[in-house]
Amino acid sequence: MKRILFTAFLLGSVSSMSVFAQPDYQPSGENLRNREWFQDARFGLFIHWGVYSVLAGGGDLGIAEWIMNQKQIPIGQYEKLPSFFNPVAFDPAEWVSIAKKAGMKYITITSKHHDGFAMFDSEISEYDIVECTPYGKDVLKMLKDECDKQGIKLFFYHSQLDWHHPDYYPRGNTGRGYTGRPDHGNWDDYLDYMNTQLTELLTNYGEIGGIWFDGMWDQWDADWKLDETYALIHTLQPGALIGSNHHKAPFPGEDFQMFERDLPGENTMGFNQTGTISELPLEMCETMNGSWGFNIKDQNYKPVKRLIQTMVKAAGYGANFLLNTGPMPNGKIQPENVDTLIAIGQWLDAYGETIYGTRRGPLKPDEWGATTQAKDGTVYIHVMNLQGENLLVPSLPEKIQSAVYFDGGDDVTYKETDYGLLLHIPKEKQHRIDTILRIKALNMNLD
Ligand code: FHN
């Protein structure tokens, strides 16, 4: 009760200033430092875990965390699911060490997905893991404690869209009809509820990396009052980074821009219609099969090579790679996913220098590969698709002083021509995943 009153007070004070606050948002010094940290980190683990994992996709391919909506399960029936959710094999130390072995620097986990179920101890709601499941423990708290121990930052994914709360009204494009909710509700009460849960997440778990919003796309006409929510977050934790998966150009108050299952600027999924790439730190998220939540049927795993190449291309755009796993209802990460993560970690052990701490390279990623650039100016050319032994790429902005293979340090044969930079990479020097060249050129220092 005390906490709810505190939240109401805080929201009151935030909303009275918010009209002026977020549109002219000036990130704090801490926030700016965290943005740098975020860009240096380059690789994170996305975790979609909720009571939907019990149904494991229901034997369908497709996004398992949407099963409530896909199968039109009324709230009254879906509410039985938490009583089957008992992840006795959940070991946060194991999760975090898998992420670390994969070379990941942060974890972003679902605190609440669209089904409205809180995976943390929420005082404002009874619909949470502590009160509704036989497990009865706050898994986010357990994970955060372990992240702190092992030096990994934790972000919370929080769905603005809610298929469970009655005050999420008017309804958006999803969660209509079948849920059994009354045809009325108070939108402002819903926002208060959401902001109170956010306050809980920002006050009960120590310092967090940030909030990863999702779901605004459910209804564009709604008055989301982002200024109030963003001001609340930045007041509670000025260093926390806000991003929102609304698939549009970032709004004032957001600290990073994200792209779903597409590289920045690409639009194979149909989400990224504006094509806007902002100057904010960037992040691309990706699934290992076709689902975010645990899907027992979907064995269509992306090969390690493809995932690494996507990560490298993302880095070439200056974007982080947030790779998803959907843990099983017993609390274990699928063994297939663990194998993939470990394999990526082994690659990063050898080649991480060309990814971590870099910024987008001087050449835009293309069919042939990508470039990344270290702060001391070193350019890494990542050749990931080469037919034959010769490759013409656009010229670098400055004259090359030296070009060597990252592996072994042998000189690379190259020619700077009027048409671009011509590289000769003999077959025996070519790597299956990524042939990396280390280039030094004059005046390329980023600092
Ligand atoms: O609907 C969600 C989906 O379940 C998942 O959480 C992804 C992750 O980027 N985002 C939404 C779709 O845009």
Side-chain angles (χ1 to χ4, degrees):
M1 181 62 180
K2 228 192 294 162
R3 193 174 305 142
I4 292 169
L5 285 177
F6 162 74
T7 306
F9 163 76
L10 195 64
L11 280 173
S13 58
V14 163
S15 63
S16 57
M17 66 173 189
S18 63
V19 185
F20 307 100
Q22 292 303 286
D24 305 317
Y25 170 56
Q26 293 295 332
S28 67
E30 191 188 351
N31 190 290
L32 293 173
R33 282 191 294 281
N34 288 344
R35 290 182 187 191
E36 287 300 310
W37 169 87
F38 183 71
Q39 294 177 88
D40 288 346
R42 279 292 172 256
F43 190 29
L45 180 65
F46 209 178
I47 299 179
H48 276 70
W49 201 33
V51 292
Y52 44 78
S53 69
V54 172
L55 296 177
D60 290 340
L61 297 175
I63 42 180
E65 71 285 0
W66 271 63
I67 195 155
M68 176 176 172
N69 196 72
Q70 308 293 62
K71 298 285 185 193
Q72 309 265 290
I73 305 174
I75 286 171
Q77 298 305 308
Y78 195 87
E79 277 182 346
K80 293 181 176 142
L81 264 189
S83 64
F84 316 140
F85 185 74
N86 193 12
V88 286
F90 172 54
D91 177 358
E94 187 179 54
W95 283 20
V96 179
S97 60
I98 290 169
K100 286 193 78 166
K101 279 194 197 132
M104 291 156 154
K105 307 294 183 196
Y106 62 99
I107 293 176
T108 304
I109 187 167
T110 43
S111 45
K112 181 191 84 161
H113 205 265
H114 310 331
D115 65 359
F117 187 77
M119 291 294 282
F120 61 102
D121 186 10
S122 175
E123 280 193 30
I124 197 175
S125 170
E126 285 167 9
Y127 199 46
D128 75 40
I129 189 164
V130 174
E131 286 180 70
C132 296
T133 71
Y135 192 62
K137 288 188 253 179
D138 183 338
V139 290
L140 295 197
K141 178 84 178 60
M142 294 161 75
L143 186 62
K144 177 62 165 64
D145 289 347
E146 194 55 44
C147 284
D148 287 348
K149 256 192 226 157
Q150 296 197 42
I152 284 263
K153 280 208 194 198
L154 188 65
F155 289 65
F156 294 131
Y157 165 114
H158 205 76
S159 174
Q160 293 155 298
L161 155 62
D162 196 309
W163 296 327
H164 182 269
H165 201 286
D167 285 320
Y168 185 83
Y169 188 90
R171 314 276 179 246
N173 292 317
T174 64
R176 303 174 82 97
Y178 71 89
T179 64
R181 288 180 285 189
D183 274 338
H184 55 82
N186 184 318
W187 179 252
D188 283 340
D189 286 352
Y190 174 70
L191 290 185
D192 279 352
Y193 167 79
M194 185 184 77
N195 287 335
T196 303
Q197 286 206 325
L198 288 166
T199 302
E200 293 173 343
L201 290 168
L202 285 143
T203 48
N204 297 341
Y205 298 84
E207 196 178 302
I208 61 159
I211 301 289
W212 205 105
F213 282 115
D214 205 353
M216 265 183 76
W217 38 259
D218 189 49
Q219 43 180 329
W220 281 113
D221 293 340
D223 184 4
W224 289 100
K225 302 189 181 168
L226 290 184
D227 51 350
E228 291 186 17
T229 299
Y230 290 178
L232 170 72
I233 294 168
H234 284 137
T235 303
L236 291 170
Q237 290 203 25
L241 303 182
I242 297 177
S244 180
N245 189 30
H246 44 52
H247 311 144
K248 295 199 184 292
F251 297 127
E254 293 171 7
D255 302 300
F256 66 102
Q257 182 182 8
M258 55 187 68
F259 301 87
E260 177 170 337
R261 290 201 269 184
D262 258 321
L263 289 160
E266 290 187 356
N267 189 23
T268 63
M269 296 297 296
F271 293 140
N272 188 19
Q273 310 223 344
T274 68
T276 314
I277 306 177
S278 75
E279 284 305 310
L280 291 177
L282 309 175
E283 184 190 65
M284 171 202 178
C285 59
E286 181 58 291
T287 49
M288 289 207 229
N289 54 6
S291 179
W292 301 95
F294 171 55
N295 186 314
I296 202 161
K297 183 164 184 186
D298 188 348
Q299 299 296 300
N300 193 17
Y301 298 111
K302 296 174 182 100
V304 168
K305 174 179 173 182
R306 177 167 157 201
L307 291 170
I308 292 175
Q309 292 188 335
T310 308
M311 172 175 66
V312 173
K313 279 206 174 172
Y317 277 106
N320 288 6
F321 190 54
L322 183 66
L323 183 58
N324 183 75
T325 186
M328 299 185 287
N330 66 354
K332 287 285 198 201
I333 296 179
Q334 291 179 74
E336 300 87 344
N337 288 185
V338 176
D339 292 349
T340 298
L341 292 169
I342 300 301
I344 297 176
Q346 282 163 356
W347 186 89
L348 278 165
D349 280 345
Y351 303 109
E353 179 190 323
T354 70
I355 303 293
Y356 300 123
T358 62
R359 296 294 180 266
R360 74 168 173 247
L363 309 182
K364 194 168 173 238
D366 210 331
E367 281 297 300
W368 57 265
T371 56
T372 53
Q373 189 168 0
K375 293 190 188 106
D376 70 358
T378 305
V379 173
Y380 299 103
I381 301 184
H382 300 261
V383 180
M384 297 187 281
N385 180 19
L386 178 58
Q387 315 298 323
E389 298 192 329
N390 295 317
L391 177 67
L392 184 69
V393 300
S395 299
L396 294 185
E398 301 289 342
K399 184 150 182 52
I400 294 177
Q401 290 178 301
S402 70
V404 299
Y405 288 97
F406 185 86
D407 274 334
D410 289 349
D411 285 340
V412 176
T413 306
Y414 69 92
K415 195 165 179 200
E416 291 169 291
T417 76
D418 291 346
Y419 307 101
L421 171 62
L422 185 60
L423 299 162
H424 177 70
I425 305 173
K427 282 272 178 245
E428 64 275 14
K429 290 287 187 195
Q430 293 179 19
H431 276 241
R432 195 178 65 86
I433 297 180
D434 183 5
T435 309
I436 306 176
L437 317 179
R438 188 202 301 265
I439 311 290
K440 295 272 187 199
L442 279 177
N443 307 318
M444 295 280 289
N445 203 314
L446 286 181
D447 287 330

